[in-house]
Amino acid sequence: MRTVAQPGLAGAPPNFRFVRIGATSGIDADEVLEGLSRTQKSLPAKLLYDARGSELFNAICETEAYYPTRTERAIFLEHAGAMAEAIGADSVIVEPGSGEMSKVRMLLPALRPSAYVGMDVSEKQLISAGTRLAADYAELDVLAVCGDFGRLDAVSPHVPAASKRVAFFPGSTIGNLDPARAREFLSVLFNLVGDDGVAIVGVDLRKAKAVLDLAYNDPEGYTRAFNLNLLTRLNRDLGGDFDERRFQHHAFYDEARGRIEMHLVSMVAQKVRIANREITFAPGESIHTESSYKYEPQAFAALAGEAGFETQRLWTDAREYFGVFLLARN
């Protein structure tokens, strides 16, 4: 693993620092080929988030159909004071998958941490959001870490000292992990925060299938473009020759598994070359690109408990569409 630190970037505020962890390409050919060789072809959801993918996801979050972002935002706006009171003073926030760093801004005025660490795979967005945050909060030390949050353990040595670490994982990203991997990731957060730390985790709650299906098939078509952009990325980064016109976006809620599944479905029999390998598709065969698990509150609390956490607080909206959990060590 390679770690590259850049104490300053041209024009960046003095309270901003950038670190890159691991490879700079953000895409692993062996991982892609292994996924496309499975009986059910699949690719990790992190590959959806190149620069263009991140832009499209931000657009998705502003649609009427995609309720999670605005619902969670309303929870933070209403309960930021209570969250800050429960967490206490002199903290450092660590946010894996930080994106535009917009949600942490709702906590900063009330919590007033000494430092913030944002981690994301999209370097361009990470630097842009991090420098803006540092400029807006001159008293806040901002560290931007470019890397996959699966390498969160490598971030710990770079985290500034504070009396309390707060792992901040909003946006229902925990749902992109199957329950076993979610438990493992929560165990990583458990180790990251230490004895006195806490975790704030956003969780999308179970609800009507019609609401969920619409959320991942927005009428504006942003989710379709977001999903198909993965093929554009594979062509660009791995020399693929995918033709987007031969694939269609398909997302649906599987009630038995309690998860949204997102696929790219081949509309015809075809052969695609990528990374010097030929991949065959039958008509109707798909690449599973993302899952998003939805939880009952008690089920997620139990899952967090298996990782060593106990649920101290749970904040929800009036419809109980979304939950923000405050987790502490048992």
Side-chain angles (χ1 to χ4, degrees), residues 87-161:
I87 292 168
D90 190 21
S91 64
V92 56
I93 298 176
V94 182
E95 182 179 8
S98 54
E100 288 195 311
M101 304 181 186
S102 59
K103 290 174 184 174
V104 74
R105 286 175 176 266
M106 292 182 283
L107 283 182
L108 293 179
L111 187 57
R112 301 179 67 183
S114 59
Y116 168 78
V117 180
M119 184 179 194
D120 207 273
V121 294
S122 178
E123 181 173 323
K124 180 180 178 181
Q125 178 174 250
L126 182 70
I127 293 174
S128 175
T131 53
R132 290 197 308 270
L133 188 70
D136 291 343
Y137 291 88
E139 74 286 357
L140 182 70
D141 288 332
V142 176
L143 171 62
V145 180
C146 186
D148 177 4
F149 66 66
R151 296 170 173 170
L152 189 57
D153 55 347
V155 173
S156 195
H158 300 283
V159 176

Side-chain angles (χ1 to χ4, degrees), residues 4 56 61 63 69 78 95 111-112 124 143 153 176 220 250 268 276 281 299 315 323:
V4 179
L56 287 166
C61 291
T63 64
T69 301
E78 182 177 355
E95 182 179 8
L111 187 57
R112 301 179 67 183
K124 180 180 178 181
L143 171 62
D153 55 347
N176 294 145
E220 295 87 346
H250 179 52
V268 296
N276 298 315
F281 289 87
W315 294 278

Side-chain angles (χ1 to χ4, degrees), residues 28-84:
D28 184 327
D30 291 337
E31 182 179 41
V32 168
L33 291 173
E34 190 277 327
L36 294 178
S37 299
R38 297 174 186 170
T39 302
Q40 169 57 74
K41 293 176 172 62
S42 65
L43 291 171
K46 65 183 180 182
L47 298 183
L48 293 163
Y49 294 91
D50 63 350
R52 177 57 178 159
S54 295
E55 291 174 358
L56 287 166
F57 181 71
N58 291 336
I60 292 167
C61 291
E62 298 302 319
T63 64
E64 181 64 25
Y66 194 76
Y67 63 85
T69 301
R70 65 175 180 275
T71 305
E72 185 185 37
R73 184 181 295 139
I75 293 171
F76 280 122
L77 289 174
E78 182 177 355
H79 299 289
M83 293 178 189

Side-chain angles (χ1 to χ4, degrees), residues 203-247:
V203 178
D204 199 8
L205 304 179
R206 286 207 180 197
K207 58 187 65 66
K209 176 177 171 60
V211 175
L212 291 165
D213 284 340
L214 181 61
Y216 291 83
N217 294 279
D218 59 280
E220 295 87 346
Y222 289 125
T223 308
R224 174 183 177 277
F226 173 67
N227 202 11
L228 286 167
N229 180 67
L230 175 56
L231 302 182
T232 300
R233 182 180 188 186
L234 294 177
N235 288 346
R236 181 188 67 237
D237 293 353
L238 294 179
D241 61 0
F242 285 94
D243 184 344
E244 287 188 17
R245 297 169 298 180
R246 294 186 167 198
F247 288 85

Side-chain angles (χ1 to χ4, degrees), residues 181-204:
R181 290 181 60 219
R183 185 186 308 110
E184 292 174 2
F185 182 72
L186 288 167
S187 296
V188 173
L189 295 186
F190 181 85
N191 293 327
L192 174 72
V193 301
D195 292 337
D196 299 323
V198 298
I200 296 176
V201 182
V203 178
D204 199 8

Side-chain angles (χ1 to χ4, degrees), residues 78 95 148-149 165 253 259-260 273 285 311 316 322:
E78 182 177 355
E95 182 179 8
D148 177 4
F149 66 66
R165 288 183 174 185
Y253 181 56
R259 73 183 189 186
I260 284 283
R273 290 200 64 82
E285 187 175 7
T311 299
T316 64
F322 201 93

